[in-house]
Amino acid sequence: MIKNDTTVRDTQLEMESEVKACRSLFEKKTRDYGTSWRILRLPSLTDQIYIKANRIRSIQESGQNRVGDNPRDEFVAMVNYATMALIQLELGADGEQELPLEQALALYDKHVGRTLKLMLDKNHDYGEAWRQMRVSSMVDLILMKLRRIKQIEDNDGRTIASEGVEGGYMDIINYSLFCLVRMTEGTDC
């Protein structure tokens, strides 16, 4: 079922609100640490995302959160780590390690902007199906995307029929944003 223009505008506003929170944390951490993440190779960023997604799934399955950190923070981290991965894809890990804050934020905005456009296009075609999905199912999809990315990385980036790692990172950002919106709406993690 295709939603009306108001629902699509609401989705865009909701996503932009969640991105604003993710970007704010990215900016604060960049002010604190600089772009120290530039030293990470893509598999290291993939593993960081995996750690976050696996923790959420573990909490969902066990019903226990011994560390006490909010799972919402893990989705924010996945958005930011996947965005860092997209930046690394563009710049390469061998380039300049320390980026000025303004450049890091401009790259963040560029890659998240492209990812949101993709989401809005897919969202139109899929009729906002994500709103009917469980957060736990979206976590499973993120973990599946990570397994695919790891396999592509293990194949030295070569693919036969898939979109490659860039599409996987973009999907992880969008699924994480969907989860953030669902949690804001009151859907449990």
Side-chain angles (χ1 to χ4, degrees), residues 26 30 33-42 44-45 81 83-100 103-105 107 111:
F26 178 85
T30 301
Y33 305 130
T35 54
S36 58
W37 52 268
R38 288 276 295 133
I39 196 78
L40 298 173
R41 292 170 283 191
L42 284 175
S44 298
L45 286 164
Y81 279 123
T83 304
M84 290 174 201
L86 292 171
I87 294 169
Q88 291 292 69
L89 275 171
E90 177 182 345
L91 300 181
D94 297 336
E96 183 66 35
Q97 295 297 306
E98 193 57 42
L99 303 176
Q103 183 182 5
L105 292 174
L107 287 164
H111 288 285

Side-chain angles (χ1 to χ4, degrees), residues 106-137:
L107 287 164
Y108 186 97
D109 293 341
K110 171 185 171 181
H111 288 285
V112 171
R114 286 181 51 238
T115 301
L116 283 178
K117 182 186 179 327
L118 174 68
M119 181 279 300
L120 290 171
D121 290 344
K122 284 184 175 183
N123 194 45
H124 172 271
D125 292 352
Y126 285 93
E128 302 241 334
W130 64 272
R131 291 191 183 272
Q132 305 306 313
M133 293 175 66
R134 296 172 185 93
V135 170
S136 59
S137 294

Side-chain angles (χ1 to χ4, degrees), residues 1-186:
M1 165 199 256
I2 295 183
K3 303 293 180 177
N4 63 37
D5 286 340
T6 302
T7 304
V8 172
R9 277 193 304 274
D10 290 346
T11 296
Q12 185 168 355
L13 292 173
E14 289 168 322
M15 293 297 168
E16 288 171 357
S17 175
E18 297 299 345
V19 165
K20 185 177 178 182
C22 296
R23 185 187 189 277
S24 175
L25 182 62
F26 178 85
E27 180 178 356
K28 288 174 185 171
K29 288 197 174 198
T30 301
R31 288 181 187 280
D32 286 348
Y33 305 130
T35 54
S36 58
W37 52 268
R38 288 276 295 133
I39 196 78
L40 298 173
R41 292 170 283 191
L42 284 175
S44 298
L45 286 164
T46 301
D47 287 344
Q48 282 298 118
I49 300 165
Y50 173 79
I51 289 167
K52 303 300 184 182
N54 196 59
R55 178 173 184 265
I56 293 168
R57 183 172 170 158
S58 177
I59 291 168
Q60 289 171 334
E61 289 180 352
S62 72
Q64 296 180 355
N65 180 351
R66 291 187 182 182
V67 176
D69 293 340
N70 185 342
R72 180 178 181 77
D73 296 338
E74 305 293 21
F75 287 111
V76 170
M78 287 192 291
V79 168
N80 287 342
Y81 279 123
T83 304
M84 290 174 201
L86 292 171
I87 294 169
Q88 291 292 69
L89 275 171
E90 177 182 345
L91 300 181
D94 297 336
E96 183 66 35
Q97 295 297 306
E98 193 57 42
L99 303 176
L101 175 65
E102 297 75 24
Q103 183 182 5
L105 292 174
L107 287 164
Y108 186 97
D109 293 341
K110 171 185 171 181
H111 288 285
V112 171
R114 286 181 51 238
T115 301
L116 283 178
K117 182 186 179 327
L118 174 68
M119 181 279 300
L120 290 171
D121 290 344
K122 284 184 175 183
N123 194 45
H124 172 271
D125 292 352
Y126 285 93
E128 302 241 334
W130 64 272
R131 291 191 183 272
Q132 305 306 313
M133 293 175 66
R134 296 172 185 93
V135 170
S136 59
S137 294
M138 289 188 269
V139 170
D140 289 349
L141 289 170
I142 290 169
L143 287 164
M144 180 189 69
K145 293 288 181 181
L146 287 164
R147 287 184 61 106
R148 290 177 177 180
I149 291 169
K150 285 181 171 197
Q151 185 62 52
I152 294 169
E153 290 170 347
D154 291 347
N155 292 339
D156 296 322
R158 291 185 308 273
T159 61
I160 298 169
S162 73
E163 61 192 344
V165 297
E166 181 181 35
Y169 289 127
M170 292 172 84
D171 286 345
I172 289 167
I173 291 169
N174 284 328
Y175 282 125
S176 296
L177 290 171
F178 291 155
C179 290
L180 288 167
V181 169
R182 295 297 310 278
M183 293 170 77
T184 296
E185 292 172 341

